[in-house]
Amino acid sequence: MATASVAFKSREDHRKQIELEEARKAGLAPAELDEDGKEINPHIPQYMSSAPWYLNAERPSLKHQRKWKSDPNYTKSWYDRGAKIFQAEKYRKGACENCGAMTHNSKSCMERPRKKGAKWTSMHIAPDEKIESFELDYDGKRDRWNGYDASTYARVIERYEARDEARKKYLKDQQLRKLEEKNSKEDGENAVSDEDDDEDDLRVDEAKVDESKQMDFAKVEKRVRTTGGGSTGTVRNLRIREDTAKYLLNLDVNSAHYDPKTRSMREDPLPDADPNEKFYLGDNQYRHSGQALEFKQLNMHSWEAFEKGQDIHMQAAPSQAELLYKNYKVIKEKLKHRTKDTIMEKYGNAANEEEIPRELLLGQSEKEVEYDRAGRIIKGQEAALPKSKYEEDVHINNHTSVWGSWWKDHQWGYKCCRQTVRNSYCTGAAGIEAAEAATDLMKANIARREATEDLPAPVEERRLASWGTEVPEDLVLDEKLLAEALKREDNRKREERDERKRKYNVKWNDEVTHEDMEAYRMKRVHHDDPMKDFLN
């Protein structure tokens, strides 16, 4: 069974305590008594708050709780502020070098540093402070008002009372001065002074409003914004109780939906009623009209400007955002008028010109024109066809047709002369015949050439002896140059077998002589040669 741990001074004390407990269990030693003089049951642990039923304990003990009674060593007193215990007349050894007190050293001295300390002058020795030490309990250590002197609050009350007395005295002097001025003036001036007095009284007592007048205005209510009933702030009650709530305008369950959480009804609760008699048209009507729409456009302009790199923020700098939006609208209007003026200057304004004749609008007139059976005009004048602003039937360079009236072989031209060169002079039918004759002559010449032309003789490809495989019989080689070429070929073969013998500074010459080619033929390996393995 677990027992409460006890600290012993030595092993001998521990051994004696064990022997005493064993003797008490055997009945050889007197039982231990509690604070009330009753015998303590050794089978019940002292840290338990309630004893088990099988131990037959008379009552539970509280000794398991730590310090369940207040310790008499604890105190609630506080330091004696500013108390002195001894006043020395000369400097003492070990005292503060600055002020001469024995209760602290020069490093902890709170007095102003002297030019010459008390250690050297032995004058103006400071008294010793009263040093106290207290052992506070749990609550005493955490009491923020511990050591507070309630009598010091009397000075605060005196200061406020003195201020009220000064204010009353000032107001009384002002009233006496006004009464003296009032008695010294004439009757006509007294009326003016009465009004001034009333205004001054209002200025003096502007903060002292009658409670009955401000009762309705100062009433504060909470705005409930959460499902749990928490309040997010307070507002003054400025609602007129005579207005009908929006959710009571139409009691039909199928009418406009009312959201009690946001207190919003977006649709019109009475869509069939007379608009002139309705004072509420739904939240959507107010959200998309008036200043709400302007504020929405201002926000959209701020967002778009910020996305395009402008340093603008509607919540951080609303005045700047509004000014930029006004400038944007002015610039946009100017640009719109400038574009309109440019288009009107280029194409004209049909709205400002004279009215178009009725004949052109409806395509008819009252003029009478008679025709014969052949379609010739007998009486009247033929109606003139309207012309466009572009030049029509204007022929240049003796042409009788316009450019683009003839097309052949993916080329445009003139139909009158079939020429494909623009702005050329017209040759008429003679030019067409000459062009056809030239085309026929060219075709005949091509056919005759193809028929009479012989096949070219095959050209014998002749390769140089230095690069070919066959050596001509009339080739003459220099023996000295051939020996040098063979030596160079041996060196090249050796470098190919062992790259370590290749030099750093390699000089290359792409000129191949007959001797070099002959050396290559002599040194190369013939794969068909049966004696190739015995070479070198």
Side-chain angles (χ1 to χ4, degrees):
M1 184 178 296
T3 57
S5 60
V6 182
F8 299 98
K9 295 183 179 180
S10 64
R11 292 184 179 181
E12 186 67 22
D13 296 340
H14 191 192
R15 185 181 60 78
K16 291 181 180 180
Q17 181 68 20
I18 293 174
E19 292 177 355
L20 181 60
E21 290 179 359
E22 291 176 355
R24 286 173 179 171
K25 292 179 182 179
L28 302 177
E32 186 179 1
L33 302 178
D34 59 3
E35 296 178 356
D36 298 334
K38 293 185 179 181
E39 183 179 353
I40 297 176
N41 192 344
H43 300 285
I44 301 177
Q46 299 305 310
Y47 57 86
M48 295 177 62
S49 61
S50 60
W53 58 273
Y54 53 82
L55 294 180
N56 297 324
E58 296 181 0
R59 60 183 181 83
S61 173
L62 294 178
K63 285 194 172 182
H64 65 283
Q65 298 183 1
R66 181 175 178 272
K67 296 183 180 181
W68 64 283
K69 286 187 177 181
S70 59
D71 195 339
N73 296 328
Y74 290 149
T75 179
K76 293 185 178 180
S77 59
W78 199 245
Y79 301 99
D80 191 0
R81 299 178 184 272
K84 308 298 180 180
I85 56 175
F86 179 72
Q87 175 69 49
E89 297 180 357
K90 64 179 180 177
Y91 180 77
R92 294 160 293 176
K93 185 178 181 180
C96 176
E97 297 179 357
N98 184 45
C99 65
M102 288 290 294
T103 52
H104 62 269
N105 53 13
S106 58
K107 187 176 181 180
S108 305
C109 185
M110 301 298 294
E111 190 177 335
R112 178 181 60 84
R114 303 180 183 181
K115 188 176 181 180
K116 287 185 179 182
K119 180 179 179 180
W120 295 275
T121 60
S122 294
M123 296 174 61
H124 307 290
I125 304 297
D128 299 341
E129 296 91 353
K130 184 179 180 180
I131 298 177
E132 299 175 289
S133 60
F134 304 107
E135 187 178 0
L136 302 176
D137 56 356
Y138 182 86
D139 295 332
K141 293 178 181 178
R142 291 157 181 81
D143 188 7
R144 48 186 305 205
W145 293 98
N146 195 358
Y148 175 72
D149 188 6
S151 60
T152 57
Y153 190 71
R155 291 179 291 179
V156 180
I157 297 176
E158 292 176 359
R159 185 170 66 252
Y160 277 90
E161 290 178 352
R163 189 185 65 176
D164 294 340
E165 291 293 335
R167 178 182 296 176
K168 291 179 181 178
K169 184 178 180 181
Y170 173 76
L171 293 177
K172 188 174 182 180
D173 294 342
Q174 292 291 331
Q175 291 177 359
L176 292 175
R177 183 177 59 83
K178 290 176 183 178
L179 289 175
E180 293 176 357
E181 293 178 356
K182 183 178 180 181
N183 296 330
S184 62
K185 291 182 180 179
E186 297 179 354
D187 297 338
E189 296 177 355
N190 290 339
V192 179
S193 62
D194 291 339
E195 297 178 359
D196 295 340
D197 294 339
D198 296 339
E199 294 179 0
D200 293 338
D201 294 338
L202 289 176
R203 292 192 191 99
V204 173
D205 299 334
E206 61 182 355
K208 300 178 181 179
V209 185
D210 189 4
E211 293 182 358
S212 61
K213 295 181 180 179
Q214 69 171 358
M215 183 169 54
D216 295 335
F217 181 76
K219 186 177 180 181
V220 177
E221 291 185 353
K222 293 183 178 180
R223 292 186 299 179
V224 179
R225 288 289 186 182
T226 58
T227 56
S231 61
T232 60
T234 56
V235 292
R236 295 192 182 277
N237 183 19
L238 302 177
R239 176 187 168 193
I240 303 176
R241 295 292 178 177
E242 297 176 358
D243 295 340
T244 306
K246 62 177 77 173
Y247 52 84
L248 297 178
L249 294 176
N250 191 350
L251 300 180
D252 187 5
V253 295
N254 297 323
S255 62
H257 173 70
Y258 174 74
D259 187 8
K261 184 176 182 180
T262 59
R263 299 181 183 180
S264 61
M265 181 181 288
R266 301 187 178 182
E267 299 179 5
D268 188 0
L270 300 173
D272 300 331
D274 187 6
N276 298 326
E277 297 180 358
K278 292 190 297 184
F279 69 94
Y280 181 73
L281 303 176
D283 294 341
N284 287 341
Q285 180 68 20
Y286 301 122
R287 190 176 294 145
H288 297 90
S289 61
Q291 295 182 351
L293 183 60
E294 296 179 0
F295 184 73
K296 182 179 179 181
Q297 294 175 354
L298 176 60
N299 279 328
M300 293 176 62
H301 173 263
S302 301
W303 298 336
E304 294 175 356
F306 181 76
E307 291 178 356
K308 294 180 180 179
Q310 290 282 346
D311 188 8
I312 180 175
H313 197 280
M314 184 60 193
Q315 282 72 31
S319 301
Q320 179 191 10
E322 186 174 1
L323 181 60
L324 289 176
Y325 181 57
K326 289 182 179 179
N327 296 338
Y328 164 75
K329 291 195 293 185
V330 172
I331 295 173
K332 182 179 179 181
E333 195 69 23
K334 289 183 180 179
L335 183 61
K336 184 177 180 181
H337 286 295
R338 187 185 306 169
T339 305
K340 182 179 178 181
D341 296 341
T342 304
I343 296 174
M344 291 175 60
E345 183 181 355
K346 185 175 182 179
Y347 299 102
N349 188 5
N352 296 335
E353 295 179 355
E354 298 179 358
E355 295 183 359
I356 300 176
R358 187 178 181 185
E359 295 83 4
L360 297 179
L361 290 174
L362 304 178
Q364 61 184 4
S365 64
E366 296 180 357
K367 294 180 181 180
E368 184 179 358
V369 181
E370 294 182 5
Y371 297 91
D372 58 2
R373 292 184 178 180
R376 294 185 294 269
I377 298 176
I378 300 175
K379 182 180 179 182
Q381 188 177 3
E382 186 178 4
L385 298 176
K387 294 185 178 181
S388 66
K389 63 179 181 178
Y390 301 101
E391 295 180 354
E392 296 181 1
D393 298 333
V394 177
H395 306 292
I396 59 174
N397 296 335
N398 202 26
H399 288 284
T400 58
S401 60
V402 295
W403 169 262
S405 57
W406 186 69
W407 185 86
K408 184 179 181 182
D409 296 337
H410 304 283
Q411 288 183 341
W412 293 99
Y414 295 98
K415 184 179 180 181
C416 56
C417 60
R418 297 183 182 179
Q419 293 193 62
T420 56
V421 180
R422 193 171 185 178
N423 296 332
S424 61
Y425 193 79
C426 183
T427 56
I432 297 174
E433 295 175 358
E436 292 178 353
T439 303
D440 295 341
L441 180 60
M442 182 178 63
K443 292 180 179 179
N445 292 335
I446 292 173
R448 184 173 64 257
R449 183 177 179 182
E450 290 177 353
T452 59
E453 190 176 11
D454 298 334
L455 293 175
V459 179
E460 183 180 358
E461 186 177 358
R462 188 174 182 181
R463 293 177 294 179
L464 296 176
S466 60
W467 294 98
T469 57
E470 298 179 359
V471 181
E473 297 178 356
D474 57 348
L475 180 62
V476 179
L477 298 175
D478 190 353
E479 296 295 336
K480 186 178 180 180
L481 296 177
L482 181 60
E484 294 178 357
L486 290 172
K487 189 177 181 180
R488 287 196 301 271
E489 186 67 18
D490 292 337
N491 294 335
R492 189 181 67 82
K493 293 276 188 180
R494 195 179 300 109
E495 289 178 359
E496 289 180 357
R497 288 193 299 268
D498 190 2
E499 292 185 355
R500 292 178 298 176
K501 295 185 178 182
R502 180 177 296 181
K503 299 179 180 180
Y504 289 102
N505 299 327
V506 180
K507 294 183 179 180
W508 182 261
N509 188 9
D510 56 353
E511 295 181 0
V512 181
T513 60
H514 295 286
E515 288 77 8
D516 295 336
M517 197 63 196
E518 183 64 20
Y520 170 72
R521 294 192 193 98
M522 293 172 66
K523 293 293 183 181
R524 74 173 180 173
V525 177
H526 297 273
H527 297 280
D528 298 335
D529 189 1
M531 300 296 292
K532 63 180 180 178
D533 296 333
F534 298 97
L535 295 176
N536 298 329

